[in-house]
Amino acid sequence: MKMQDAVRAVVMSGLLLAPMATQAQKPSAPSVTAANSADAARVNRELLTSTVHEAWLASDRNEDKFFDMVKQCAEMSAQKRGVTLPDTEAAGRKMGMLIKTIARRDPDQLLYAVVDAAVKQTAAPPVRAAK
């Protein structure tokens, strides 16, 4: 929980301060909550193809909804990479700063790519079986 709180604070402060152009039409919003596994798969597909800016707009510029999207991306990235994210405030702050920095640099890049890059730099390498 410490890591999640720190990530949330850093990411949200960066997004609220980052200048993002508004779009005339709102993109189709990936739902943050999924009722069943079919909905979850659809959400994952939509979330994986959303840019940082599109995800922010899809969250209705709601910090909690956006953080849920970031959290979902981080969990998916950690699972696919076979790593566990450390649950410390320092790790959360580091990950949040990485996400904020990368996202502010280019809000038109995929949110998943931003979060995945932060996961790679924050998580300890997976333990591999010795041959």
Side-chain angles (χ1 to χ4, degrees):
M1 284 305 206
K2 292 177 186 178
M3 182 174 158
Q4 289 182 357
D5 293 340
V7 169
R8 179 184 301 231
V10 173
V11 169
M12 290 308 119
S13 66
L15 286 173
L16 294 176
L17 297 175
M20 292 188 175
T22 57
Q23 296 179 350
Q25 293 182 346
K26 184 176 171 182
S28 63
S31 171
V32 177
T33 58
N36 59 41
S37 60
D39 285 344
R42 180 184 53 77
V43 170
N44 289 342
R45 280 192 306 273
E46 290 178 10
L47 188 55
L48 289 174
T49 60
S50 294
T51 66
V52 172
H53 182 68
E54 289 169 343
W56 177 242
L57 292 177
S59 74
D60 293 326
R61 299 176 185 201
N62 178 292
E63 293 179 13
D64 292 331
K65 288 180 182 179
F66 186 80
F67 179 73
D68 286 342
M69 292 175 178
V70 170
K71 181 179 169 187
Q72 187 176 0
C73 287
E75 289 169 353
M76 190 181 328
S77 173
Q79 177 187 9
K80 294 291 184 184
R81 293 187 173 282
V83 298
T84 302
L85 294 172
D87 190 19
T88 64
E89 191 172 328
R93 210 174 9 260
K94 176 183 178 181
M95 189 166 173
M97 287 299 294
L98 289 167
I99 292 170
K100 179 179 86 168
T101 301
I102 298 167
R104 288 180 84 186
R105 206 176 309 142
D106 181 8
D108 293 325
Q109 63 185 313
L110 297 177
L111 176 63
Y112 182 79
V114 170
V115 175
D116 184 53
V119 166
K120 286 192 306 189
Q121 293 183 39
T122 305
V127 177
R128 308 252 183 220
K131 291 186 178 183

